[in-house]
Amino acid sequence: MTPITRTSAPSFLRRAICTTDHRAIGRQYLVLALISVAIGTVLSLLMRLHLTWPEIGLPGHGPILPEDYLTLVTFHGTLMVFYVLTTAPQSGFGNLILPSQIGTRHMAFPRLNAAAFWLTATALATLLSATFAPGGGPISGWTAYPPLSAVASAGPGQALGMDLWLASLALFSIATTIASVNTLTTVIRSRCDGMTWERLPLTVWGWFTAALLSLLAFSVLLAALLLLFCDRHAGTSFFIPSGDLVGRTLHGGGNGSPLLWLHLFWFFGHPEVYIAILPGMGLTSMILGNFARRRIFGYRIMIATTLLIGFLGILVWGHHMFVAGLNPFAGTAFSISTMAIAVPAAAKVLSWLATIWRSRPEYKTAMLFALGFVSLFVAGGLTGPVLAQPILDQYLHNTFFVVAHFHLIMAMAGVFGLFAATYYWFPQISATANRPGRLMSERLGRIHFWGTLIGAYATFLPMHITGLEGEPRHYAQLTGVPGQAGHLLATTIPLQAPITYAALFLAAAQLPFLLNLALSLRNSKPAPPNPWQATTLEWAPEPSPDEEIAAYRVPCSYHEGNNGATFLPQWVSDVSTE
Amino acid sequence: MAPTPHAAPLLALRWPLPADASAHGPSLDQHLILNLWIAGGLLALVHVILLVGLLSRRRVGEPKRSWIVEYLPLSFLVLLFAGLAIQAEILWAATRYTGADPAALQVEVTGMQFAWYFRYPGPDAVFGRTAPKLVAPGEGNPVGIDPADPPGADDIVTSELVLPAGREVDLRLHAHDVIHGFAVPEMRLKQNAVPGETIHLHFTPTTPGTYAILCTQLCGAGHYRMQANLRVLPPAAFAAWLASKQTGATP
């Protein structure tokens, strides 16, 4: 016994704030993402309802004005892209699972890890506080193109609301940069004995590549945010041309270029979508292999394509700018680099198809969501090469065709990756120091899966059609527009109500998930030690503090002949198991 | 990559696109529809493979060699996407790599929160100087023409874009305040107007009619109602319209 004993255990609050335990921090990120996704979903439903029935007001608020609609757009995009699709897969599940998958007990920098979480939480609070700013929240969307975002007189919410948005994302960028350094260092330095690069699970490759991209992308975003802040408050002119006349405000300063912001923003923004999706791609691969009881087809190709997608991801930002005022030759160059991504992405789909081909897998909910990920990834991915052709983007740019594309591939496939992770790793999520983990209900899980899959397709497939008809994004209403434009927009109105009903159905399909979460956390039956008969180290028996952790083989080692039931986990040393 | 003959009936099926009234439009539409069929076909193919693979009996034994499963289909996809990309670049180059014909009609387009204005240079074929501090939409000078500059005296400023059918037009896009998106869906055109820059865009309207001009880059609270009409007239009617405007412009 040590001579010093505590008189009382530290309070719950103190433990929650001061914890440097990576699992606790991972859970904190997941709670933050769950709050953000709930808010972001409600905001998207308000947008859909307003587009469909613009005359209906919001109880306690009154009519939804155009600037209110654009604030909804801005908050929905910012919450979902940053606070859900960046935090949950990378920081949430990364913290919870990554150390044990590579056989270490800690992240490389536990205190920095905690600091990154609290910075992220502060960033979220800062963002939400912008709703209370005079003039309301910012209206310039999650991409915040200047001069709209650079000049306070450009619109309601572009004064203090915009400053709070900038502050929020600056904090978020710092936190994510810290987190990515932590992830990279942990993967490079803390792998256990025998955990060679080729034995790393594909989830770890996903997190590793996403962290590499985060490090590059978020540091550039931080720089861009600071420059924009200086344009707003320090009299600089990085993004504002001289003679710019917004309302009655004439910019008399130096001659900057709004296009510089577009370059900096999309140099961050495009890798960002891969940061959101790469962990889900890795997990999908591992889950397909696990439930098909097969080694993932072309494991090395999968590693190579993950890195290749990451590398190409930083060379394609210009495809967001085909009609922004680039030199047309640059359009050609960015088009070719973008089309090139179709090759490693298609290689991944082929590997997934080959892995499950004639495998008679076990359809646990996690497997269903992984299969749903493949389906949505293909459905959203196939319109990528269409939009990558500048001549077609000249018609499709900023229409609902684009909205449909990125919601299928980034939002829906990304969220399916998160659901697969939740169902698969729930024993790890729900375990505490003195209580083993629980499993989620499979019955509720199946209802959740089918509802979400049908809802996702019913919501986003018809948006391709309204996009082809010419419906632009960011329109606060489709009625009451004069001239020929009103006639054009009128052709898109018949599909609005069905899309809104589908979106409501999709949101309602999440109720079984929330119910499942609540019931499963209180479930009295502990999960078995390795419920999915998995081969990766996070399912190994908890090692005692002085025990060596080691990896003895590649993941997904199965013996054929009895339906793959004989499997060799990475942590088992005895090779002569017959 | 021209569509193969047997694909032609498929291409003829109705896609929900608005009227197509520009010279480059039909080839753009044809390429777009070819792309949509390919994307739809591959989507169906993947799902058929997925379902057949999941419903068939479990196969025991070594998997097929990777070149059949992976590299063969991948090579096919590389060729397919390369073909689509080449055709797309040919069309892109045809409309964007070179400037307008010197004989093209010159029109300046100015976007501001939340309206489009169009300026014709008048009989002298020279646009007068403009200055931001002279911009006064309420006083009939929305683009800020400098009265001290003689070439500006005969400039015509309108709130609708009127063009002759069959003649190429060279648009020079400006924005006063924030970035706007100049979009004419029925001309299959879209190009941002960026403050501080002049961006040229040229095309040839083919079919007389009235078409929608939208703003497709989020520009503020009134973004959704920032629109104008494009009126394409037969050449004689256009000449008459221009003459009527000119008599109004010269004092």
Side-chain angles (χ1 to χ4, degrees):
Chain A
M1 288 294 283
T2 48
I4 305 156
T5 50
R6 279 185 196 282
T7 48
S8 66
S11 72
F12 170 77
L13 200 65
R14 197 183 152 84
R15 272 182 294 144
I17 292 175
C18 296
T19 184
T20 54
D21 170 42
H22 62 91
R23 287 202 176 90
I25 293 171
R27 286 182 200 109
Q28 288 171 334
Y29 271 114
L30 291 181
V31 170
L32 179 140
L34 190 63
I35 294 168
S36 306
V37 79
I39 301 172
T41 304
V42 170
L43 299 184
S44 70
L45 293 179
L46 288 177
M47 284 151 64
R48 283 305 323 165
L49 291 170
H50 179 68
L51 265 188
T52 315
W53 298 286
E55 65 283 356
I56 298 177
L58 190 61
H61 174 88
I64 295 181
L65 303 173
E67 52 266 39
D68 297 334
Y69 180 83
L70 294 178
T71 305
L72 293 175
V73 169
T74 306
F75 274 97
H76 170 74
T78 309
L79 282 169
M80 294 305 206
V81 171
F82 293 97
Y83 293 91
V84 179
L85 289 170
T86 309
T87 56
Q90 184 72 5
S91 307
F93 287 108
N95 267 305
L96 201 60
I97 305 297
L98 182 143
S100 45
Q101 272 201 343
I102 62 170
T104 177
R105 292 180 173 87
H106 311 284
M107 291 293 277
F109 308 114
R111 282 195 206 91
L112 273 182
N113 204 12
F117 171 74
W118 288 109
L119 272 175
T120 307
T122 313
L124 177 61
T126 309
L127 178 72
L128 296 177
S129 73
T131 38
F132 302 109
I139 61 166
S140 45
W142 81 284
T143 58
Y145 281 8
L148 182 59
S149 59
V151 183
S153 62
Q158 295 308 92
L160 181 62
M162 187 67 210
D163 284 326
L164 289 169
W165 185 90
L166 284 175
S168 167
L169 287 198
L171 290 174
F172 189 90
S173 302
I174 296 169
T176 308
T177 309
I178 294 174
S180 58
V181 170
N182 202 354
T183 303
L184 291 173
T185 314
T186 307
V187 174
I188 293 169
R189 298 291 305 272
S190 308
R191 283 169 292 129
C192 65
D193 280 349
M195 184 57 82
T196 60
W197 288 96
E198 231 180 304
R199 286 179 183 174
L200 281 180
L202 292 171
T203 36
V204 178
W205 277 107
W207 286 315
F208 182 76
T209 313
L212 276 174
L213 290 176
S214 290
L215 192 61
L216 286 168
F218 276 95
S219 45
V220 171
L221 177 66
L222 181 60
L225 293 168
L226 293 178
L227 297 185
L228 185 53
F229 192 83
C230 289
D231 271 12
R232 292 170 61 83
H233 297 291
T236 57
S237 307
F238 293 104
F239 307 123
I240 314 173
S242 60
D244 197 45
L245 180 70
V246 183
R248 297 185 187 284
T249 319
L250 183 65
H251 177 70
N255 195 14
S257 167
L259 285 179
L260 174 61
W261 169 269
L262 271 71
H263 280 292
L264 293 173
F265 183 84
W266 287 116
F267 185 83
F268 146 80
H270 201 81
E272 166 64 20
V273 311
Y274 293 103
I275 293 166
I277 203 78
L278 279 168
M281 292 163 94
L283 177 63
T284 294
S285 308
M286 296 308 288
I287 289 182
L288 294 181
N290 187 79
F291 289 99
R293 314 310 286 164
R294 293 245 180 92
R295 174 124 172 107
I296 294 133
F297 187 87
Y299 201 87
R300 283 185 168 187
I301 300 174
M302 282 302 224
I303 297 174
T305 50
T306 301
L307 290 167
L308 192 59
I309 288 174
F311 174 69
L312 289 172
I314 53 179
L315 299 179
V316 298
W317 76 92
H319 70 219
H320 298 268
M321 302 167 65
F322 286 144
V323 300
L326 287 189
N327 182 315
F329 297 111
T332 298
F334 282 118
S335 165
I336 291 166
S337 61
T338 306
M339 295 293 270
I341 291 195
V343 178
K348 280 203 180 298
V349 174
L350 290 168
S351 278
W352 290 331
L353 292 176
T355 304
I356 51 175
W357 177 253
R358 293 187 63 186
S359 66
R360 276 294 162 129
E362 207 184 348
Y363 294 108
K364 296 291 185 191
T365 307
M367 178 65 172
L368 291 175
F369 274 103
L371 291 168
F373 179 98
V374 175
S375 171
L376 290 161
F377 182 80
V378 172
L382 278 167
T383 46
V386 180
L387 291 164
Q389 298 168 49
I391 188 72
L392 302 183
D393 190 60
Q394 170 171 319
Y395 179 66
L396 297 170
H397 184 80
N398 270 357
T399 63
F400 262 70
F401 193 88
V402 180
V403 175
H405 161 71
F406 72 77
H407 274 91
L408 280 177
I409 195 155
M410 184 168 76
M412 288 301 107
V415 162
F416 269 57
L418 289 175
F419 284 137
T422 307
Y423 285 96
Y424 185 71
W425 283 320
F426 198 71
Q428 316 262 345
I429 298 172
S430 55
T432 58
N434 38 23
R435 185 173 172 276
R438 301 291 188 261
L439 284 171
M440 291 183 83
S441 154
E442 285 293 318
R443 178 197 291 262
L444 280 171
R446 277 193 293 275
I447 296 171
H448 176 216
F449 167 75
W450 287 109
T452 309
L453 186 76
I454 293 165
Y457 275 121
T459 305
F460 296 110
L461 279 183
M463 287 186 187
H464 291 97
I465 296 171
T466 65
L468 287 171
E469 287 169 340
E471 184 190 357
R473 300 168 68 183
H474 306 139
Y475 268 31
Q477 59 191 65
L478 301 168
T479 53
V481 178
Q484 205 59 30
H487 294 289
L488 184 90
L489 295 177
T491 62
T492 71
I493 288 175
L495 271 177
Q496 299 303 331
I499 293 174
T500 304
Y501 290 129
L504 288 167
F505 174 79
L506 176 59
Q510 307 316 306
L511 297 178
F513 174 69
L514 295 177
L515 182 68
N516 202 346
L517 274 185
L519 292 179
S520 305
L521 283 170
R522 295 151 57 101
N523 181 4
S524 58
K525 193 167 148 246
N530 184 1
W532 318 119
Q533 305 198 311
T535 54
T536 43
L537 281 174
E538 79 271 28
W539 300 103
E542 189 69 32
S544 53
D546 50 352
E547 193 180 337
E548 281 289 321
I549 309 173
Y552 296 95
R553 61 185 62 74
V554 292
C556 307
S557 301
Y558 303 100
H559 281 239
E560 273 292 0
N562 54 356
N563 217 16
T566 312
F567 64 105
L568 281 173
Q570 286 188 283
W571 65 87
V572 171
S573 61
D574 184 12
V575 190
S576 59
T577 314
E578 288 299 313
Chain B
M1 206 166 104
T4 47
H6 65 269
L10 289 180
L11 296 186
L13 269 177
R14 180 88 180 81
W15 283 85
L17 292 163
D20 184 345
S22 66
H24 69 274
S27 55
L28 188 159
D29 278 9
Q30 195 178 46
H31 191 57
L32 175 61
I33 290 167
L34 175 69
N35 263 277
L36 293 173
W37 278 112
I38 289 173
L42 287 175
L43 180 66
L45 180 66
V46 167
H47 281 82
V48 167
I49 295 173
L50 194 66
L51 289 177
V52 170
L54 289 174
L55 297 175
S56 308
R57 278 185 303 123
R58 184 173 173 88
R59 191 207 57 224
V60 180
E62 286 303 298
K64 289 260 190 313
R65 276 200 299 277
S66 61
W67 69 268
I68 298 178
V69 181
E70 191 101 34
Y71 296 120
L72 207 63
L74 210 52
S75 315
F76 166 74
L77 288 173
V78 169
L79 290 177
L80 180 68
F81 287 129
L84 290 176
I86 289 169
Q87 173 66 6
E89 299 311 334
I90 289 171
L91 295 174
W92 176 249
T95 58
R96 298 275 185 150
Y97 273 18
T98 52
D101 189 292
L105 176 70
Q106 302 290 316
V107 184
E108 181 197 75
V109 179
T110 304
M112 65 185 74
Q113 290 179 328
F114 300 98
W116 293 107
Y117 289 100
F118 308 95
R119 180 156 70 127
Y120 298 76
D124 65 353
V126 178
F127 288 106
R129 201 168 53 219
T130 61
K133 62 175 184 295
L134 298 171
V135 169
E139 289 148 44
N141 192 5
V143 299
I145 297 172
D146 187 348
D149 188 37
D154 64 346
D155 285 6
I156 301 161
V157 179
T158 63
S159 58
E160 65 170 353
L161 177 59
V162 182
L163 297 175
R167 180 175 170 197
E168 192 178 30
V169 55
D170 180 15
L171 300 179
R172 48 188 78 189
L173 303 182
H174 285 290
H176 271 330
D177 38 29
V178 302
I179 303 177
H180 297 281
F182 179 79
V184 198
E186 283 125 332
M187 297 290 144
R188 303 294 186 267
L189 270 191
K190 194 165 286 166
Q191 175 62 53
N192 282 5
V194 182
E197 312 218 2
T198 302
I199 297 167
H200 282 265
L201 181 68
H202 61 94
F203 71 106
T204 307
T206 51
T207 316
T210 308
Y211 307 106
I213 298 172
L214 308 171
C215 177
T216 52
Q217 185 61 58
L218 174 52
C219 63
H223 172 54
Y224 74 98
R225 58 183 161 82
M226 178 166 169
Q227 54 79 37
N229 279 354
L230 161 62
R231 211 142 53 85
V232 178
L233 301 175
F238 175 77
W241 174 84
L242 197 62
S244 75
K245 285 286 168 187
Q246 270 157 9
T247 49
T250 43

